[in-house]
Amino acid sequence: MSSSKEEGAGVPPQNRGSWSSFLKSIASFSGDLSSLTAPPFILSTTSLTEYSSYWAEHPSLFVAPAAEKDPAKRALLVLKWFLSTLKQQYSSRNEKLGSEKKPLNPFLGELFVGRWEDGAGTTNLVSEQVSHHPPVTAYCIWNDKHGVRLQGYNAQKASFSRTIHVKQIGHALLHLDAYNEDYLITLPSLHIEGLIYGSPFVELNKNTYIQSSSGFTAKVDYSGKGWLSGKKNSFTASLYPTGSEKSPVYTIEGQWTDAFTVKDAKTKSQVDNHNAKTAPTTPLTVAPQDQQDALESRRAWSKVAAAISKGDMDTTGVEKSKIENQQRELRKQEQSEGKEWQRRYFSRVEKDDVFETLAAKIGERSEPEKTGGVWRWDGKKAEGVKAQA
């Protein structure tokens, strides 16, 4: 962004005072990003539990690896699918709303449930807030027709140094039934660009690893504005036999918000490509609000979201306080009774052998002390919920 652009240029004139105060308040900030009190005009009507849906807005790419018999090509399709999710996860809100917005801070036990229906069949989503301090969202996305399941959880640790930097804590695991194959996916770090101008957007930095149980490793390096191309959201990626990073099988480069090209590392010939701007997404189907569970995001936050949409910050504050106070009372009651909130779909586990095996190959660790534990989809709980429906 041009340095000649004035501070706060993207902020409505009537809101520049609150924006300046916000910038001052985060100058010494470190900790839970959700605890930041943001100016009303950058508040989102969407809860953070909904963000899990960005993993599978291209269901056909999500299930594609299940049909590929060659292990290297299968690992490549997993990498391509992952790269295709980045625009949805980190840029779609900016494009839709004009700038990145601060999401609603989910309450413990909050749910977001939906499904995608398209040529790939039915792809299901369950997202649950499994911890409030620290805030942690767990999710499971699966397609029974193709035998593909993704599960994971994540928290964020934010710090401020000229802008907001966010380290994502957690991971995702993709499983392919047909090959009894697993892929460990690490989460990229990010920072917020354009903050001082009031037009914040996400830029990814550092890297992501995808480690497969079939013996392949993918590494994605995020460079922001590429030093050669000068284009934002630039990245390079390579897929190689585990332990042989200097002998890649495939390489990928481009922009995760635009187009990228896949090449055979030996012949340098193009073997695939993807255009994030033109690739169609499948809309998520969510039950009407009056048919949703009381803990489901859109029903629980409906009055808050309506008030934000109207710009009615007084009502926003009142309705948010109602939810927050109710949650505080529930926690007090649980504490007095010596009980813990029972998660509906996920359970805390001491150890996950699949994760430990794959993580050792890329130097990853779970950091349960920062996420309230290691969280896994609990099939028995899910069956119980289904039986009661």
Side-chain angles (χ1 to χ4, degrees):
M1 195 171 283
S2 171
S3 59
S4 65
K5 191 170 182 177
E6 290 183 16
E7 181 175 330
V11 179
Q14 68 272 24
N15 294 320
R16 287 183 183 172
S18 62
W19 183 250
S20 295
S21 297
F22 176 60
L23 290 178
K24 290 175 184 176
S25 73
I26 61 176
S28 59
F29 177 81
S30 179
D32 171 11
L33 187 65
S34 63
S35 66
L36 275 172
T37 301
F41 69 92
I42 66 160
L43 289 177
S44 170
T45 59
T46 303
S47 169
L48 200 58
T49 54
E50 292 200 31
Y51 284 25
S52 304
S53 66
Y54 296 134
W55 282 105
E57 293 195 343
H58 301 101
S60 60
L61 293 179
F62 175 64
V63 304
E68 176 55 62
K69 294 181 179 179
D70 180 84
K73 292 179 180 177
R74 197 159 58 241
L76 176 63
L77 287 173
V78 171
L79 174 58
K80 180 184 177 182
W81 155 74
F82 170 77
L83 293 169
S84 78
T85 72
L86 296 178
K87 181 175 184 291
Q88 303 308 119
Q89 296 204 59
Y90 302 110
S91 178
S92 60
R93 296 175 301 280
N94 186 64
E95 294 180 1
K96 181 180 177 183
L97 302 172
S99 70
E100 186 66 34
K101 304 291 184 182
K102 181 180 184 292
L104 295 168
N105 183 25
F107 54 84
L108 181 60
E110 182 174 324
L111 302 168
F112 185 65
V113 181
R115 68 182 188 278
W116 295 269
E117 301 275 4
D118 63 4
T122 300
T123 305
N124 301 282
L125 162 72
V126 172
S127 180
E128 180 175 6
Q129 193 71 8
V130 293
S131 176
H132 187 66
H133 295 296
V136 180
T137 307
Y139 51 86
C140 186
I141 300 170
W142 70 97
N143 183 302
D144 287 332
K145 178 181 176 182
H146 295 274
V148 180
R149 182 178 71 255
L150 177 80
Q151 65 168 312
Y153 62 95
N154 63 283
Q156 295 88 26
K157 172 77 173 178
S159 60
F160 186 83
S161 176
R162 299 180 70 183
T163 188
I164 295 175
H165 298 265
V166 181
K167 178 188 177 185
Q168 298 198 90
I169 305 166
H171 57 265
L173 284 168
L174 180 74
H175 182 79
L176 305 178
D177 287 348
Y179 307 99
N180 192 26
E181 197 168 79
D182 296 288
Y183 294 79
L184 169 62
I185 303 164
T186 68
L187 307 176
S189 295
L190 58 95
H191 63 274
I192 309 298
E193 294 274 8
L195 195 63
I196 196 169
Y197 306 117
S199 301
F201 66 92
V202 171
E203 186 62 271
L204 303 180
N205 47 273
K206 298 187 179 178
N207 49 52
T208 290
Y209 283 95
I210 303 177
Q211 179 61 50
S212 79
S213 59
S214 61
F216 289 94
T217 305
K219 183 183 180 185
V220 184
D221 290 299
Y222 307 101
S223 55
K225 284 194 173 182
W227 66 279
L228 283 176
S229 68
K231 296 176 180 178
K232 70 176 185 178
N233 310 141
S234 297
F235 76 91
T236 58
S238 62
L239 178 72
Y240 51 89
T242 301
S244 302
E245 186 174 353
K246 293 184 178 180
S247 303
V249 182
Y250 297 104
T251 60
I252 307 179
E253 64 178 323
Q255 293 170 274
W256 50 265
T257 46
D258 199 337
F260 59 79
T261 303
V262 184
K263 292 183 179 180
D264 182 300
K266 289 183 179 179
T267 66
K268 310 299 181 186
S269 59
Q270 181 176 324
V271 295
D272 202 356
N273 62 75
H274 179 78
N275 190 317
K277 284 188 173 180
T278 59
T281 58
T282 299
L284 182 71
T285 300
V286 178
Q289 274 185 26
D290 60 357
Q291 295 176 29
Q292 291 180 17
D293 186 278
L295 296 179
E296 288 191 56
S297 294
R298 292 185 184 177
R299 179 176 173 182
W301 291 103
S302 59
K303 292 181 180 178
V304 173
I308 291 173
S309 295
K310 292 175 184 175
D312 183 350
M313 291 303 116
D314 290 337
T315 301
T316 297
V318 168
E319 294 299 334
K320 274 188 72 180
S321 293
K322 285 181 183 178
I323 294 174
E324 290 162 357
N325 291 334
Q326 182 185 37
Q327 287 296 306
R328 288 191 192 99
E329 288 304 312
L330 276 171
R331 300 293 84 77
K332 285 180 183 177
Q333 183 180 341
E334 288 163 3
Q335 191 172 20
S336 67
E337 296 175 356
K339 296 179 179 178
E340 182 183 17
W341 175 264
Q342 294 302 302
R343 283 71 177 175
R344 190 173 296 190
Y345 291 96
F346 296 84
S347 291
R348 190 187 283 114
V349 299
E350 290 297 317
K351 186 180 179 183
D352 184 306
D353 290 338
V354 171
F355 170 82
E356 296 294 341
T357 300
L358 297 178
K361 298 178 187 297
I362 52 175
E364 183 74 1
R365 69 184 196 91
S366 58
E367 300 186 280
E369 70 281 0
K370 297 179 181 178
T371 55
V374 174
W375 298 95
R376 289 291 177 260
W377 175 254
D378 191 320
K380 289 184 178 178
K381 284 185 176 181
E383 284 299 318
V385 173
K386 191 175 180 181
Q388 293 172 11

